[in-house]
Amino acid sequence: MNKKSMILRTPLIVRFCHWCMVCLFILTALSGLSLFFPSIKLFGLFLGTPQLVRELHPILGCVVFILLMFMFLKLAHHNIPNKDDLLWIKNFKHVILGKERGIPIGKYNVGQKFLFWCIMGLILVLFVTGLIMWRRYFADNFSVPVVRIAIFFHSLAAIGLILLAIGHAYMAIWVKGSIKGMITGYVSRAWACKNHSTWYEEEMEKIYQEELKLKAELKTEQATKPE
Ligand code: HEM
């Protein structure tokens, strides 16, 4: 891979966090489903006995929450809606047909931004309701109706997040080059220009400014060099 023709899209720490979170999310989702549907033994098998699953599920959930909050801090500013997003929505038909060239798109498009806020909102609901339901530590502090309401919203949010995660993974496969970008951190300039034109222009401007600065430094260095 020639890094000169590539652009850094996702730093190592965010990539590491994302893939750890994905593995733990799968374990949390499967263990949660095994508690919800105890008759389907397959869901819980990989974590051991049902008792162990019950102990591990909330701990795994907390780690997923912390990892997602870290991603939130790193990525929230790229996911703030702006006026260019309206153009993306208006031209949604073209986007679906893969003809998004010419539509100004920042680091993340409207679909990704929407998904980002839904994921963050749902994980917050799961975390808060999960704490209320956590028998070992907290559930005794709440009345039975409150715990029941928490269980209801925990289940709804879990189904929502699992469906969103499946949709997100599908979209990542659909847009060729994005999974490679999330693994290596780099995307090609052509990919960036096609899928995220505004972000591409901003990155190219940064590279251009850095080159100018480097040239200026080189010039002053040569000028101050003794003969
Ligand atoms: C096998 C499953 C998954 C795959 C293949 C996948 C793939 C990706 C890729 C390729 C990106 C970068 C998109 C880009 O650079 O444009 C990304 C970003 C992201 N992923 Fe995943 N992902 C998976 C599962 C998950 C799960 C389970 C969650 C959380 C529940 C998640 C949350 C995120 C978030 C929050 C971002 C940042 C997006 C943004 O800031 O708008 N991913 N993922």
Side-chain angles (χ1 to χ4, degrees):
M1 178 174 65
N2 176 12
K3 280 201 177 166
K4 266 203 127 171
S5 63
M6 308 294 274
I7 304 178
L8 177 67
R9 180 151 175 87
T10 314
L12 178 66
I13 183 78
V14 178
R15 274 157 29 222
F16 180 72
C17 188
H18 175 268
W19 292 119
C20 286
M21 184 273 301
V22 171
C23 298
L24 294 178
F25 178 82
I26 293 169
L27 288 179
T28 315
L30 287 176
S31 56
L33 286 171
S34 81
L35 293 173
F36 207 67
F37 304 108
S39 54
I40 308 178
K41 298 266 184 309
L42 191 71
F43 288 143
L45 277 180
F46 52 91
L47 281 183
T49 60
Q51 289 78 8
L52 194 60
V53 171
R54 194 169 288 280
E55 289 298 316
L56 286 179
H57 174 76
I59 297 167
L60 288 170
C62 286
V63 182
V64 169
F65 174 75
I66 293 166
L67 292 174
L68 274 172
M69 285 305 107
F70 178 78
M71 288 182 75
F72 176 83
L73 293 177
K74 290 279 176 195
L75 301 174
H77 64 289
H78 292 298
N79 286 282
I80 310 249
N82 60 38
K83 61 176 176 9
D84 284 346
D85 292 341
L86 286 175
L87 272 172
W88 189 90
I89 297 169
K90 271 187 198 155
N91 289 286
F92 186 65
K93 213 171 84 185
H94 299 279
V95 176
I96 288 292
L97 295 172
K99 293 175 182 163
E100 55 273 78
R101 216 176 265 277
I103 306 168
I105 306 173
K107 184 154 186 183
Y108 297 106
N109 65 37
V110 183
Q112 291 173 302
K113 287 181 185 179
F114 175 74
L115 213 91
F116 177 87
W117 292 107
C118 287
I119 288 174
M120 296 305 163
L122 288 174
I123 197 70
L124 192 66
V125 173
L126 281 165
F127 181 66
V128 174
T129 52
L131 288 185
I132 296 173
M133 293 159 63
W134 202 347
R135 279 214 195 110
R136 180 182 276 274
Y137 299 112
F138 306 107
D140 287 345
N141 300 312
F142 298 94
S143 65
V144 173
V146 170
V147 174
R148 281 196 185 145
I149 291 169
I151 294 172
F152 175 71
F153 283 107
H154 194 80
S155 317
L156 274 190
I159 293 166
L161 192 55
I162 291 169
L163 291 178
L164 277 183
I166 293 170
H168 165 72
Y170 177 74
M171 288 309 293
I173 296 166
W174 193 50
V175 180
K176 280 199 184 76
S178 63
I179 293 189
K180 199 170 150 210
M182 200 53 169
I183 295 171
T184 63
Y186 286 85
V187 291
S188 70
R189 289 186 184 189
W191 184 94
C193 183
K194 180 180 183 291
N195 297 295
H196 301 274
S197 55
T198 311
W199 174 69
Y200 166 73
E201 280 159 20
E202 286 163 5
E203 291 302 303
M204 293 318 287
E205 179 63 22
K206 267 191 225 160
I207 294 172
Y208 176 68
Q209 292 301 338
E210 269 167 28
E211 275 173 7
L212 276 186
K213 212 173 123 193
L214 216 74
K215 274 185 191 157
E217 276 172 13
L218 218 72
K219 241 182 181 174
T220 45
E221 207 175 273
Q222 275 168 354
T224 53
K225 225 179 191 176
E227 289 296 309

